[in-house]
């Protein structure tokens, strides 16, 4: 479709956040603190999933 620049929206740059953040190993290179008995690594992985879902939802809604 001519004139449709939705694929060049700057909102798509936000999709790099859930890719780049889990690659920063200094964030989860520890066992403390624990959350409900789970070490940092495990609950932080779940937080990365939530970050990915939230970012994808935001980008989808802003570019819809």
């Amino acid at each position: 479709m001519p004139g449709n620049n939705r694929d060049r929206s700057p909102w798509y740059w936000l999709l790099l956040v859930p890719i780049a953040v889990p690659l920063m190993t200094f964030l989860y290179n520890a066992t403390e603190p624990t959350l409900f008995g789970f070490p940092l690594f495990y609950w932080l992985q779940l937080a990365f999933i939530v970050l990915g879902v939230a970012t994808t939802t935001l980008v989808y809604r802003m570019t819809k």
Side-chain angles (χ1 to χ4, degrees):
M1 189 181 284
N4 189 356
N5 287 332
R6 255 182 39 183
D7 60 338
R8 297 189 188 268
S9 174
W11 285 101
Y12 290 124
W13 285 103
L14 278 178
L15 294 174
L16 290 176
V17 171
I19 295 170
V21 171
L23 293 175
M24 297 179 203
T25 57
F26 63 88
L27 291 174
Y28 52 89
N29 192 15
T31 56
E32 296 291 330
T34 59
L35 183 67
F36 303 115
F38 291 104
L40 173 78
F41 177 79
Y42 294 108
W43 63 263
L44 198 56
Q45 293 297 314
L46 293 174
F48 292 155
I49 292 170
V50 172
L51 174 68
V53 169
T55 305
T56 304
T57 302
L58 175 68
V59 170
Y60 172 74
R61 289 181 182 249
M62 297 308 289
T63 58
K64 188 164 98 172

